[in-house]
Amino acid sequence: MSTSNRSPPARMSALRTLSLVLAFTAAVGLIFGTAGFSAMEADRGLDVNVTDDESAYLGYKVTDETETINNSTTVTAEAEYHNQFSGELTLDVRVEVNGEHRKNESATLGQGEATRIEVTESCSAGETVDFSFVATGNGSGVNVSLERTHSVPCE
């Protein structure tokens, strides 16, 4: 008796080929990873509204005064900070006069509250005194900084 080899039906061969292709694809995916990405870049628009210092979220207003008594002249600068954020703000201010550190002030301001920082310096007629106020504030989800220099002539 003789045995003959029969080839599998065409349908069975296509199913086997598809299974092998899927298995190969899965193996390659496991070895090399998925077709994901690790970095992305996007351009987004930004709208910035500029306002004056008094109307800003950390409002700032400075006043100065020159006074001469008995041939001695002093200049006083007073900075006023307003918390116009919706929550509490912890404010730290460093004050310099003509580039030299004079004082540090800290205050915790509730919404709508203000604090004043005053600095006085002796000067000679014709001299200009530079007052520098550097403020940093932190609150609930808020970080703000403001640096302003105010020059006052000594009269």
Side-chain angles (χ1 to χ4, degrees):
M1 219 158 111
S2 76
T3 56
S4 65
N5 287 338
R6 280 191 333 178
S7 62
R11 183 172 166 216
M12 186 66 148
S13 180
L15 186 58
R16 183 174 180 189
T17 303
L18 179 63
S19 297
L20 288 173
V21 168
L22 288 175
F24 177 75
T25 304
V28 168
L30 287 173
I31 293 171
F32 295 110
T34 61
F37 55 89
S38 61
M40 184 179 96
E41 185 175 328
D43 291 326
R44 294 185 174 189
L46 175 67
D47 291 329
V48 176
N49 293 327
V50 178
T51 186
D52 60 359
D53 283 338
E54 293 179 34
S55 301
Y57 281 116
L58 177 58
Y60 170 82
K61 180 180 178 183
V62 69
T63 56
D64 62 71
E65 179 182 325
T66 303
E67 183 176 53
T68 302
I69 299 175
N70 298 332
N71 294 329
S72 178
T73 304
T74 59
V75 176
T76 302
E78 181 181 77
E80 184 174 276
Y81 293 93
H82 297 268
N83 176 14
Q84 298 177 138
F85 288 99
S86 62
E88 190 175 84
L89 186 69
T90 301
L91 188 66
D92 296 311
V93 181
R94 176 183 168 92
V95 182
E96 294 181 359
V97 178
N98 292 330
E100 293 183 24
H101 177 257
R102 283 293 189 267
K103 67 184 339 185
N104 290 325
E105 296 272 338
S106 294
T108 301
L109 305 173
Q111 180 181 3
E113 293 181 342
T115 188
R116 293 179 181 180
I117 300 169
E118 185 178 291
V119 183
T120 301
E121 181 72 13
S122 297
C123 61
S124 302
E127 181 183 2
T128 299
V129 180
D130 293 324
F131 294 94
S132 177
F133 297 90
V134 181
T136 56
N138 297 302
S140 177
V142 173
N143 291 317
V144 64
S145 63
L146 178 67
E147 181 175 345
R148 295 290 185 263
T149 300
H150 187 67
S151 297
V152 181
C154 188
E155 300 169 353

